[in-house]
Amino acid sequence: MQSSLRYLGLASLVPFASLFVACGPAPTPAVGKTVIEKKMAAIAELASRGTYLPPPIDGITLAAHEIDLKLPRGCVPLDAQGMLGAAKFVDDAESELLSACNIVGDSGGIDGIDGIDGKGGTGKKPVKVTVVLIRHRVQVETGEAAASALLRSPGVLSATTTTITGSANAGGGAALSPEVVVTLNAPTGDGARPGTAVWYGALDGLYVLYAEVDGDAESIAAWGDALTGAIIPGASSHPIRWRAPTGLAPSQSAFGPFKMRLPETLSKVSHDQRTFNEFIGDSRDPLDPRDGQKFATLRDETGLAVGGSGFRVAPLPGIAPDAMGVAKMSATARGGTALTTSFVDAPIGKIARVDATRPSGDHEVYAAFMEGGEVTVMHLVFAKEKWAAYSPWVDASFATVTFGGDDGPY
């Protein structure tokens, strides 16, 4: 995400901001708080803000790319100059600021426009709520897996799944009822406001509706619930849903000088396309193979069920002299356990396959074959709950590896 948006006081909406804990005096060692303890402390601090419940979501409706956004009552959209200024703080080239509005308080003489408590005010009224809609050019399913990924960030106090209540108006009355994730986020620092976010993954991008609220945890949770009625997907904005593969893709994908047919839902992605975990700022992506010098990256259409890569490595005489040795060494070096081995016949030759289990329970498959004095390895990682759906098609996919790729050199 990496979006500052400090102009709007949205720093606290970045869910991966760190919460710091003071160390105890020497010589007694400091005992760090757990993530849960930190989150509970942040929730307790919100109580002093008091109640600020959401008004009805019956304001004006704005067209925002492929969805409509209904604003809360009293939320005044930024003018063109304000939107232009705010957009400069979206420092991600793959993100687009679609809309923003503010609800101001009643007391004057306070400079609260940026979310600071504003001592020595300039006469501006304090901003009680800031609502911002951003579309990130990332395709990801926003279901339970996305909620779990978000919840790993210390700045996210809660992450729950629900449905967009406004979707009944989409597509001429067809109720989409897409599952979304609603998060409650801790403030990032002194003067910042806590916030909530509604995450809606669609085929045309990941829409995130943020709201920074000057209120306690109960108020912010109420805002999260209310804002699920603010997003109205259009007929062309379909939610992403994981589907089990029923066969191999009809066409072949190129991997350097090779090509192969992948199971349905899998595809090759560009090297600069981020995963969901990279997007939310979490350095630990459970499905990222993290292979050095990889020449291909694979991912399923939800972004959360399968990850993969292709890489080349030289055999090691006496240690990993052939394709099977390289595959086994790769699995062991990456912490795989319960290794099983097999071979798959393919037009390229015999392919060595090694299956392994990660400490997390996710399933790994390494498929390796020798060519030109080097070993090419295809490495796939399957979420443990999705492995049963993909397992029937893995050998069938490797059995199609042949020469003829045309996507350039490694």
Side-chain angles (χ1 to χ4, degrees):
M1 193 179 313
Q2 305 296 331
S3 301
S4 300
L5 288 177
R6 298 184 186 277
Y7 177 82
L8 292 173
L10 293 183
S12 67
L13 294 179
V14 184
F16 47 84
S18 298
L19 301 176
F20 296 98
V21 179
C23 295
T28 303
V31 179
K33 291 184 178 180
T34 66
V35 172
I36 296 299
E37 289 173 331
K38 294 177 183 179
K39 292 183 178 183
M40 294 304 295
I43 291 176
E45 292 174 1
L46 300 184
S48 61
R49 292 182 172 270
T51 302
Y52 194 83
L53 297 176
I57 309 296
D58 60 0
I60 64 173
T61 300
L62 302 177
H65 195 65
E66 298 298 329
I67 71 172
D68 288 336
L69 176 66
K70 185 173 285 294
L71 299 183
R73 182 184 300 178
C75 204
V76 180
L78 298 186
D79 58 18
Q81 183 176 357
M83 285 290 291
L84 181 62
K88 294 179 181 178
F89 290 87
V90 182
D91 53 11
D92 190 336
E94 295 183 358
S95 300
E96 177 185 8
L97 176 64
L98 299 179
S99 183
C101 67
N102 287 322
I103 296 179
V104 299
D106 296 329
S107 58
I110 299 178
D111 183 8
I113 195 69
D114 57 359
I116 302 175
D117 57 7
K119 296 180 179 179
T122 61
K124 296 179 180 178
K125 294 183 178 181
V127 174
K128 301 291 291 183
V129 178
T130 300
V131 177
V132 172
L133 177 66
I134 296 178
R135 181 177 73 102
H136 303 281
R137 296 178 180 88
V138 175
Q139 287 189 347
V140 63
E141 180 185 32
T142 44
E144 291 294 339
S148 298
L150 285 163
L151 199 56
R152 289 200 307 269
S153 299
V156 175
L157 304 179
S158 68
T160 58
T161 56
T162 184
T163 56
I164 297 179
T165 57
S167 64
N169 298 323
L176 296 179
S177 297
E179 190 176 45
V180 298
V181 178
V182 179
T183 60
L184 189 157
N185 307 318
T188 56
D190 294 339
R193 295 167 294 177
T196 186
V198 180
W199 306 70
Y200 167 47
L203 292 176
D204 57 321
L206 176 64
Y207 292 88
V208 186
L209 179 61
Y210 302 95
E212 238 191 17
V213 182
D214 186 13
D216 55 20
E218 183 178 356
S219 301
I220 299 165
W223 272 91
D225 292 339
L227 289 177
T228 61
I231 298 177
I232 305 175
S236 59
S237 182
H238 299 292
I240 294 177
R241 287 292 173 269
W242 178 80
R243 58 187 179 91
T246 59
L248 299 182
S251 60
Q252 294 177 312
S253 297
F255 301 94
F258 313 108
K259 59 184 179 181
M260 64 184 293
R261 292 174 63 190
L262 296 168
E264 285 180 335
T265 78
L266 289 186
S267 63
K268 184 179 176 183
V269 298
S270 62
H271 290 288
D272 58 353
Q273 189 168 0
R274 299 165 300 168
T275 66
F276 181 66
N277 295 276
E278 291 170 333
F279 169 76
I280 66 169
D282 190 338
S283 60
R284 180 173 60 88
D285 183 347
L287 296 180
D288 183 3
R290 298 190 182 280
D291 294 311
Q293 298 181 333
K294 57 186 177 184
F295 63 84
T297 302
L298 297 91
R299 194 181 66 179
D300 77 295
E301 60 191 9
T302 70
L304 292 167
V306 185
S309 67
F311 60 95
R312 298 269 283 184
V313 63
L316 299 176
I319 301 175
D322 53 18
M324 181 60 79
V326 169
K328 292 173 65 175
M329 181 183 67
S330 299
T332 302
R334 290 164 175 80
T337 59
L339 272 59
T340 62
T341 62
S342 59
F343 289 95
V344 180
D345 291 324
I348 195 68
K350 194 171 289 294
I351 295 178
R353 171 178 169 175
V354 173
D355 288 59
T357 301
R358 285 187 165 190
S360 62
D362 295 331
H363 192 95
E364 291 185 289
V365 177
Y366 295 83
F369 54 92
M370 187 82 74
E371 190 277 327
E374 287 188 309
V375 177
T376 297
V377 182
M378 299 302 295
H379 180 197
L380 296 173
V381 184
F382 300 86
K384 57 184 177 182
E385 66 274 11
K386 300 293 195 298
W387 167 237
Y390 286 97
S391 59
W393 311 108
V394 174
D395 272 2
S397 177
F398 293 149
T400 66
V401 178
T402 185
F403 283 111
D406 56 2
D407 64 346
Y410 296 130

